[in-house]
Amino acid sequence: MRSHPLDDSVGALLRQFGEGSKRAAARLISLVEDGVPEALDILERLYPQVGDAWRVGITGPPGAGKSTLVDKVTEQLVAAGERPGLIAVDPTSPFTGGALLGDRVRLGAVANDGRVFFRSLATRGSLGGLSLHTAEVADVLDAFGCSWILFETVGVGQSELDVAEKAHTTVVVLVPESGDGIQAMKAGLMEIADLFVVNKSDRNGADKLEEEIRLALDFKEWPGWRPPVLMTEARTGRGVEEVLQALRQHRSWLEERDLLRQKRRRAMESRVRDLVLDRLSHSLWQDTGMRAQLDAGLEAIERGQASPYGLARKLLRHGRMTLQRNHESEESA
Ligand SMILES: Nc1nc2c(ncn2[C@@H]2O[C@H](COP(=O)(O)OP(=O)(O)OP(=O)(O)O)[C@@H](O)[C@H]2O)c(=O)[nH]1
Ligand SMILES: [Mg+2]
């Protein structure tokens, strides 16, 4: 895609952003999130300032206390002079500055702290699209000067794997009720967790869950980083200091080795692949010829005169020509 000069209003936003305006940052995030045509240009402009934020993904079942934990970790980060940025990836779990909503905790004191930036992302389209925007929004926050970025995402499958791929440290939060220990192993959380947190340690069964996780960890060889298992009571803040300590330890551990570079490289690869795929499929399905061929092909399949494989092949052929044509018309523009 060709880069276009940004229009005046976006230019002004970028200037205000550079001067530290939170409002401008919020507007830019919305543009990125909406995937407006200028989004890539905006992100490219900001990219030189991106780089230093430590990105932490926090995942776990609904109601495990993720937001409460994020709130408390954020308080400690602010006290340590950091500038945290918070992103709630799942729409059921928005970060708002408001009071309690139902049973769910919203951000407490940190919501009013000028040094904290929080943002909830709506789910749109595919999970892949969701995580793509998550990483982009994190870039905006990073460029804005956030030193830590915490993403909260409900652990329900692919979404947390996607987010883990884009985080430096992944925290899996589990709770005594609902036999999470066993589920965690099934869902492959073992593979993505850098740190396990057993929250609601005031509840019965917390010790048992902690033990279960430790036992499961014992089954694996850990030549490198072995995920610690920490107990917290996020509501009162008990154990939260240790969580932050473990996050810092994991960070130093990665930084002291070549692993961070490798991790960054993998994350970058997955992002660039996502971007290309996103743009490609967008421009392909914009093409009326593609859609017409798809419709005609589907009808032929219904009549028993074609197969999905043949149709896919035909569309790929047509798609290649479409891309070639688009490319040529861009070149001559
Ligand atoms: N007993 C107990 N309750 C807690 C603790 N931490 C959080 N809670 C409560 O658990 C409920 C859910 O907390 P949240 O922080 O919203 O949990 P969440 O994982 O962000 O929830 P979703 O985003 O909706 O998936 C709230 O009522 C909290 O007050 C804890 O350590 N002990
Ligand atoms: Mg939440």
Side-chain angles (χ1 to χ4, degrees), residues 136-148:
E136 291 172 344
V137 170
D139 276 356
V140 178
L141 291 185
D142 195 328
F144 193 58
C146 288
S147 54
W148 284 69

Side-chain angles (χ1 to χ4, degrees), residues 159-234:
S159 62
E160 80 263 40
L161 301 182
D162 280 346
V163 170
E165 208 171 32
K166 280 148 186 140
H168 298 117
T169 305
T170 301
V171 180
V172 172
V173 183
L174 299 169
V175 280
E177 57 259 36
S178 75
D180 283 319
I182 314 301
Q183 275 173 21
M185 316 307 138
K186 275 195 207 143
L189 291 179
M190 279 282 155
E191 276 65 46
I192 64 160
D194 299 305
L195 171 61
F196 282 99
V197 169
V198 174
N199 189 40
K200 307 199 183 180
S201 60
D202 51 309
R203 298 248 171 102
N204 281 336
D207 293 334
K208 192 168 152 272
L209 174 60
E210 190 214 13
E211 172 131 354
E212 266 174 30
I213 299 169
R214 281 187 200 281
L215 282 175
L217 289 170
D218 283 344
F219 268 102
K220 261 185 80 170
E221 297 270 339
W222 300 96
W225 173 264
R226 180 185 159 119
V229 186
L230 300 177
M231 303 264 264
T232 58
E233 191 182 337

Side-chain angles (χ1 to χ4, degrees), residues 235-264:
R235 217 163 45 174
T236 62
R238 202 163 61 86
V240 173
E241 222 175 298
E242 288 77 2
V243 171
L244 185 54
Q245 240 166 45
L247 291 175
R248 290 192 190 278
Q249 273 163 9
H250 184 242
R251 177 178 185 162
S252 325
W253 191 85
L254 283 175
E255 279 172 349
E256 284 157 15
R257 290 163 182 77
D258 195 40
L259 292 167
L260 185 59
R261 198 188 57 81
Q262 290 171 26
K263 209 174 174 120
R264 287 214 163 108

Side-chain angles (χ1 to χ4, degrees), residues 13 19 42 61 68 119 135 168 176 200 227 241 294 314 330:
L13 276 178
E19 290 157 5
I42 292 172
T68 315
R119 178 69 177 214
H168 298 117
K200 307 199 183 180
E241 222 175 298
L294 176 65
K314 201 164 159 186
E330 258 187 36

Side-chain angles (χ1 to χ4, degrees), residues 53-54 56 77 82-85 146-150 247-248 251:
W54 196 254
V56 181
L77 284 170
E82 304 280 357
R83 287 186 65 189
C146 288
S147 54
W148 284 69
I149 298 173
L150 311 179
L247 291 175
R248 290 192 190 278
R251 177 178 185 162

Side-chain angles (χ1 to χ4, degrees), residues 62-68 93 103-104 152 199-200 202 233-234:
K66 299 177 294 296
S67 300
T68 315
S93 186
D103 187 37
R104 292 286 179 257
E152 176 185 337
N199 189 40
K200 307 199 183 180
D202 51 309
E233 191 182 337

